[in-house]
Amino acid sequence: MAGHFVRWTGDPGFLAEGLRISQDVFDTAQHFADKRRGRFLAARALLAQLMLRVYGINELPALITNSNGRPAFADRDLPDFSIAYAGNMIGVLLAEEGGRAGLDMEIVRAHSRQTQEQLMQELTSGEVAWINAQQDFMEAVTQIWTLRQSILKLTGAGESGLDSLRLLPGAGRLRSTLYPDIQVVCDAEPTLVWACALSPATQRLHLWEMDSSHQWCALREVEMSKPNIGPHTLRLTSLPHERSLHPEM
């Protein structure tokens, strides 16, 4: 089983125009403000391109919005996906059938030091200790926050699920009281941090980038089981079930 993560940077209106999305999607977007409409359409156009590339589906299948506000395919036999935005970048993560997906992206220095410190107030003592041990404070805070948000998007809990999640980045472990089996990989690039949360059976993560001419470029393939997958990359997996309620967590 594999996951597929594609990102695109540029003018959302240019990407969205006429690219394999139905009139219903355009009609829904008409009620949004200009910026939100552009991002909404571009994300669904990017998802349509990913479905074409992975599954050969020519037009984006019908979508619904779940009770938690998370978009999904109306046909439950189709794969799970997650959408994220960071600055003028749009990302889509697709899980193969039966898997779950949660994507988050953050610009490393988009927030002030004060905002970063406020974010730390939501974290556990173990997470804070790991951040304080890193050389780049802002990058470390962004990594932990991005990891958390990707997992919460996979579970569908959103901000209300913050207390359900504990991370042990030093040990490569996590615990979610809402979803027992998760793995997540997070990478810090010079300006961007991204995190992809996926089901534990996912063995590979394919990373792609699409340019303004809609040409696809393969960035790399992450072997999820490898212990060392990059100098700024974190991979966390769920604690074994028998330890999931350990009081230290």
Side-chain angles (χ1 to χ4, degrees):
M1 182 184 294
H4 306 270
F5 171 34
V6 60
R7 63 199 194 194
W8 180 85
T9 304
D11 176 10
F14 177 76
L15 176 62
E17 188 176 353
L19 287 181
R20 304 183 186 278
I21 53 180
S22 68
Q23 186 60 45
D24 288 344
V25 175
F26 281 101
D27 291 343
T28 300
Q30 294 308 309
H31 304 288
F32 301 153
D34 289 348
K35 181 178 180 180
R36 184 185 176 194
R37 180 169 61 249
R39 298 201 328 176
F40 177 91
L41 292 173
R44 280 140 188 83
L46 192 59
L47 175 60
Q49 293 291 315
L50 189 55
M51 290 293 287
L52 173 66
R53 189 171 191 88
V54 177
Y55 294 105
I57 298 175
N58 287 317
E59 184 175 89
L60 183 68
L63 299 172
I64 60 172
T65 301
N66 291 325
S67 58
N68 57 19
R70 194 175 187 269
F73 289 119
D75 183 349
R76 296 300 186 181
D77 290 331
L78 291 175
D80 190 35
F81 66 88
S82 184
I83 295 169
Y85 308 100
N88 63 344
M89 183 175 293
I90 298 166
V92 176
L93 175 65
L94 186 71
E96 292 188 346
E97 292 93 338
R100 294 274 295 174
L103 173 67
D104 192 51
M105 305 188 304
E106 300 285 345
I107 303 299
V108 176
R109 307 193 189 280
H111 303 295
S112 66
R113 178 72 180 226
Q114 182 179 8
T115 301
Q116 298 274 10
E117 290 173 349
Q118 290 173 350
L119 292 177
M120 288 186 68
Q121 295 176 11
E122 304 288 343
L123 305 181
T124 67
S125 59
E127 293 161 357
V128 172
W130 181 85
I131 289 170
N132 289 333
Q134 307 308 305
Q135 292 184 343
D136 189 324
F137 173 83
M138 286 192 172
E139 179 184 285
V141 174
T142 306
Q143 279 194 282
I144 293 297
W145 191 253
T146 305
L147 282 163
R148 281 182 149 268
Q149 293 302 309
S150 69
I151 296 168
L152 294 175
K153 290 175 75 171
L154 181 148
T155 64
E159 297 300 319
S160 64
L162 284 173
D163 291 340
S164 70
L165 184 61
R166 297 291 182 272
L167 305 182
L168 285 175
R173 292 294 195 175
L174 67 93
R175 177 173 72 90
S176 168
T177 59
L178 300 177
Y179 206 87
D181 289 311
I182 301 171
Q183 63 173 331
V184 56
V185 60
C186 174
D187 196 22
E189 300 176 1
T191 60
L192 178 76
V193 172
W194 56 263
C196 294
L198 294 155
S199 299
T202 305
Q203 298 174 329
R204 296 177 306 281
L205 175 63
H206 299 283
L207 276 64
W208 307 86
E209 197 165 63
M210 193 167 75
D211 64 23
S212 59
S213 300
H214 309 148
Q215 299 299 310
W216 287 65
C217 173
L219 298 177
R220 63 184 170 119
E221 179 180 303
V222 175
E223 293 287 343
M224 299 292 283
S225 61
K226 287 188 175 180
N228 297 311
I229 51 181
H232 298 276
T233 307
L234 288 173
R235 175 177 173 263
L236 309 183
T237 58
S238 294
L239 284 165
H241 293 177
E242 66 271 19
R243 292 177 55 199
S244 63
L245 296 180
H246 193 288
E248 291 183 358
M249 293 299 292

